[in-house]
């Protein structure tokens, strides 16, 4: 089976991070899969809290609409908070996977307990909420922050990448976790090297989500349109939301 078109949406407006995410996605995609890496035209350059996520969710929905109009087969929300995930599923016919859920699901398949390494301490709290929401609380041994902002991953110094590496090693040794989940879309290019170096699965959600969307599409599965994920009830939307109606 080949010929899937998968839209990878970076919900922040950083063009550099969108490139990193797109390259990581292409590196694992099947030969026939086309990866379209996009980001919203409006919003914040990084997503680091609930306020940022609320804004980013609108950008995600705009891109889902656009992707559907272009006939893409599936979508990935490439921010670790999975902003707008269920709303995106209402709009989409094909599968929509968030990178946090993708990485967490994958981790439970290869280890009994995993640790999360993310960017800021406040993101740790958001990730903890997601663990509870997705039912993975009991699979997670600990969460760690490198304590650097998201855009430090794109500043070219390598400092953030070094801190991610150190935190992953610490998590392996101190939490006694069997796997590590990387908690930011901007860490997508680090998983394979860290997996080799640490000798345990280090899972990035972007690449995990690519394989999940490909799997669902190969099985002929899309988002259920029965029940709460049915298309949104039609009603006029005004102002800046007109583009979503
Ligand atoms: C994120 C992410 O993945 N992209 C972004 O802008 N903020 N979340 C995070 N936990 O760092």
């Amino acid at each position: 089976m080949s010929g899937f078109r998968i839209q990878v949406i970076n919900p922040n407006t950083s063009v550099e991070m969108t490139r990193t995410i797109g390259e990581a996605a292409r590196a694992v995609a099947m030969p026939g899969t086309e990866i379209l890496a996009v980001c919203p035209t409006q919003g914040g350059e990084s997503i680091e809290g609930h306020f940022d996520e609320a804004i980013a969710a609108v950008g995600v929905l705009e891109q889902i609409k656009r992707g559907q109009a272009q006939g893409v087969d599936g979508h990935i929300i490439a921010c670790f908070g999975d902003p707008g995930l269920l709303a995106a599923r209402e709009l989409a016919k094909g599968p929509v996977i968030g990178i946090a859920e993708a990485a967490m699901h994958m981790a439970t398949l290869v280890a009994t307990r995993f640790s999360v390494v993310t960017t800021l301490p406040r993101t740790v709290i958001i990730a903890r909420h997601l663990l509870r929401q997705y039912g993975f609380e009991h699979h997670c041994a600990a969460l760690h922050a490198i304590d650097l902002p998201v855009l430090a991953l794109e500043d070219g110094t390598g400092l953030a990448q070094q801190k991610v590496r150190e935190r992953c090693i610490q998590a392996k040794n101190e939490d006694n976790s069997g796997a590590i989940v990387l908690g930011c879309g901007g860490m997508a290019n680090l998983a394979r090297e860290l997996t080799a170096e640490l000798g345990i699965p280090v899972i990035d959600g972007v690449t995990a989500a690519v394989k999940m969307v490909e799997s669902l599409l190969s099985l002929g599965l899309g988002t259920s349109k029965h029940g709460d994920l049915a298309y949104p009830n039609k009603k006029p939307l005004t102002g800046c939301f007109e583009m979503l109606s």
Side-chain angles (χ1 to χ4, degrees), residues 218-243:
S218 297
L219 293 167
L221 299 175
T223 297
S224 174
K225 291 293 122 191
H226 181 72
D228 65 319
L229 299 181
Y231 295 115
N233 297 337
K234 285 250 178 285
K235 63 195 74 168
L237 296 173
T238 56
C240 66
F241 298 108
E242 249 187 85
M243 74 330 184

Side-chain angles (χ1 to χ4, degrees), residues 10 12 17 45-48 78-81 99 118-119 123 150 183-186:
N10 172 22
N12 73 42
M17 193 167 290
E45 267 209 305
S46 62
I47 299 154
E48 298 175 325
C79 169
F80 201 72
I99 65 169
T118 185
T119 48
T123 324
V150 168
C184 182

Side-chain angles (χ1 to χ4, degrees), residues 198-221:
L198 270 68
I200 60 171
V202 177
I203 300 162
D204 140 67
V206 175
T207 47
V210 169
K211 302 321 286 182
M212 286 182 173
V213 171
E214 284 183 340
S215 297
L216 289 164
L217 292 173
S218 297
L219 293 167
L221 299 175

